[in-house]
Amino acid sequence: SSQIEARLSAYFAQETELLGIFRRGEDPYVFMACAIYGEDYNTLLAAYKSNCPIAKLKRAVGKEAVLACGYGMGHAKFASRALDQGITLSDDLDTHNALAKSTVEKYRKTNAKIVQMWYKCQKAVEDLIAGRETWLGGPEHNLAHFHWKDVFGEQVACVELHGYTIHYPRLRYSMYEGRKQ
């Protein structure tokens, strides 16, 4: 179950580069740090393994990016979360926030299929609310089944994944700051 969140989101979205990193047994957090900081993987990995404090910080930023941004976290929340995790991107708060924004943008550019999957999931929920079922995720686009199911005589929206079901009674959406929630 090591790195399970990153592995599942990569598989669900079929993010081929990230899947390749896992297949080769490489460190996805160092790879993300390299994308963020524009560094060579082997150089940063060697520095990290030799306990270089700067390399450890860069990997920690990469890890936070992979884990937090994989589920749609924006830059303001990322900046706050980094501080909560003891990761200071800069002593200057404005620079810290700017670096957080840049980090989120680099994550999204590096993992475009994961970003696309967020929108596919949003559409699947909208379809579900409209009474349509949807399948998505994985190489065959059939990992998650969004549909309605009878539960104790009531039709309930649900998402099934590998035999496990999450029920969403009275599923609906509302507008929040001009966005569907």
Side-chain angles (χ1 to χ4, degrees):
S1 64
S2 175
Q3 304 162 327
I4 193 70
E5 297 94 345
R7 290 173 186 273
L8 283 175
S9 62
Y11 185 75
F12 197 83
Q14 288 299 286
E15 189 65 66
T16 52
E17 179 64 27
L18 187 51
L19 289 170
I21 290 166
F22 287 121
R23 278 190 202 102
R24 293 187 301 270
E26 296 169 328
D27 188 324
Y29 308 139
V30 171
F31 264 98
M32 190 69 242
C34 290
I36 293 165
Y37 296 103
E39 296 192 14
D40 173 70
Y41 174 79
N42 291 321
T43 303
L44 185 57
L45 182 64
Y48 170 73
K49 287 183 175 182
S50 70
N51 289 319
C52 169
I54 293 171
K56 288 176 91 67
L57 174 65
K58 289 177 179 180
R59 184 185 182 273
V61 172
K63 182 176 182 177
E64 277 306 305
V66 169
L67 297 178
C69 297
Y71 295 96
M73 185 177 285
H75 68 275
K77 181 70 176 168
F78 184 81
S80 174
R81 180 177 165 87
L83 290 173
D84 290 345
Q85 298 295 319
I87 299 169
T88 305
L89 303 173
S90 170
D91 291 334
D92 176 69
L93 188 57
D94 289 336
T95 304
H96 174 86
N97 291 335
L99 291 170
K101 184 175 184 179
S102 173
T103 297
V104 170
E105 289 169 355
K106 287 178 182 169
Y107 173 86
R108 291 178 179 185
K109 183 178 180 184
T110 303
N111 296 283
K113 288 184 180 179
I114 291 174
V115 173
Q116 290 170 1
M117 186 56 69
W118 303 338
Y119 297 106
K120 290 177 183 177
C121 288
Q122 178 66 37
K123 172 99 172 59
V125 170
E126 290 172 8
D127 285 348
L128 185 58
I129 290 168
R132 296 182 295 270
E133 71 176 305
T134 304
W135 288 88
L136 57 89
E140 304 295 323
H141 309 289
N142 65 355
L143 285 180
H145 185 203
F146 294 69
H147 64 101
W148 291 85
K149 181 176 179 177
D150 185 283
V151 178
F152 302 115
E154 179 183 346
Q155 288 296 305
V156 175
C158 63
V159 178
E160 289 187 58
L161 181 66
H162 290 295
Y164 294 97
T165 304
I166 302 172
H167 296 96
Y168 296 96
R170 297 173 293 287
L171 180 67
R172 65 197 181 290
Y173 70 85
S174 61
M175 297 300 286
Y176 176 74
E177 295 181 359
R179 297 186 340 227
K180 290 180 184 175
Q181 295 273 338

